[in-house]
């Protein structure tokens, strides 16, 4: 699933190379199992709730909605890859490895995005009855 999200323009072999190079880089830098770091990063980034725009009587409300674990994981992977692409650096493997290590350590742009989503849901809790 991660490889298919990395994929651009149908170049799957390049996506595999990016993933394997980033895993190798994580292993060299942290001296830990890179799959453990990957799982930990995804677990820490996965959101529990999100907000969805609902239009009621001419007004648009941001309604907080709980999301399932599969949808949360997909969102977490999408956020991780998006933050990796925006990160300044040499190549995608390098950027992805640093983003995963940051997320596993509970800091970085992706963690901030998750917290922002949770704050938005908490602030709009009054509109939960519009589900």
């Amino acid at each position: 699933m991660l490889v298919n999200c990395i994929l651009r323009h149908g170049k799957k072999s390049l996506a595999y190379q990016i993933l394997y190079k980033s895993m190798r880089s994580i292993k060299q830098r942290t001296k830990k199992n890179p799959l453990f770091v990957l799982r930990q990063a995804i677990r820490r980034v996965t959101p529990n709730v999100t907000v969805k725009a609902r239009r009621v009587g001419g007004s648009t409300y941001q309604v907080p909605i709980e999301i399932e674990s599969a949808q949360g994981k997909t969102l977490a992977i999408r956020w991780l890859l998006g933050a990796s692409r925006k990160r300044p650096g040499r190549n995608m493997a390098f950027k992805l490895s640093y983003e995963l290590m940051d997320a596993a350590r509970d800091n970085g742009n992706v963690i901030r995005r998750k917290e922002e989503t949770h704050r938005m849901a908490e602030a709009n809790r009054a509109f939960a009855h519009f589900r």
Side-chain angles (χ1 to χ4, degrees):
M1 185 169 141
L2 185 61
V3 173
N4 287 338
C5 289
I6 295 172
L7 188 92
R8 285 279 189 234
H9 307 295
K11 298 189 176 187
K12 197 170 232 177
S13 61
L14 181 62
Y16 272 109
Q17 284 178 14
I18 290 168
L19 182 64
Y20 291 149
K21 284 179 185 175
S22 66
M23 291 295 127
R24 212 173 299 125
S25 174
I26 289 171
K27 187 174 178 114
Q28 288 173 352
R29 291 184 207 296
T30 62
K31 305 287 190 259
K32 290 182 184 173
N33 184 356
L35 291 178
F36 173 74
V37 174
L38 175 67
R39 276 193 215 104
Q40 194 173 23
I42 291 174
R43 199 175 308 120
R44 292 215 169 130
V45 173
T46 304
N48 301 326
V49 291
T50 188
V51 290
K52 188 174 182 181
R54 265 293 146 77
R55 196 163 160 80
V56 179
S59 303
T60 305
Y61 299 108
Q62 296 291 326
V63 180
I65 295 175
E66 290 183 20
I67 54 177
E68 297 172 10
S69 64
Q71 188 180 0
K73 281 185 180 69
T74 304
L75 204 55
I77 290 169
R78 196 178 309 143
W79 287 352
L80 279 164
L81 292 173
S84 299
R85 288 190 179 106
K86 287 181 183 173
R87 199 178 250 263
R90 292 179 285 213
N91 56 16
M92 183 60 188
F94 177 81
K95 296 190 284 188
L96 179 61
S97 65
Y98 270 96
E99 196 61 46
L100 287 172
M101 287 187 291
D102 279 353
R105 280 190 239 118
D106 222 8
N107 61 356
N109 293 333
V110 189
I111 298 293
R112 200 174 307 120
R113 185 163 181 182
K114 175 195 170 186
E115 289 170 353
E116 184 182 308
T117 304
H118 278 235
R119 268 197 308 272
M120 181 91 84
E122 184 66 28
N124 291 308
R125 198 173 60 186
F127 305 126
H129 65 281
F130 286 126
R131 280 183 202 168

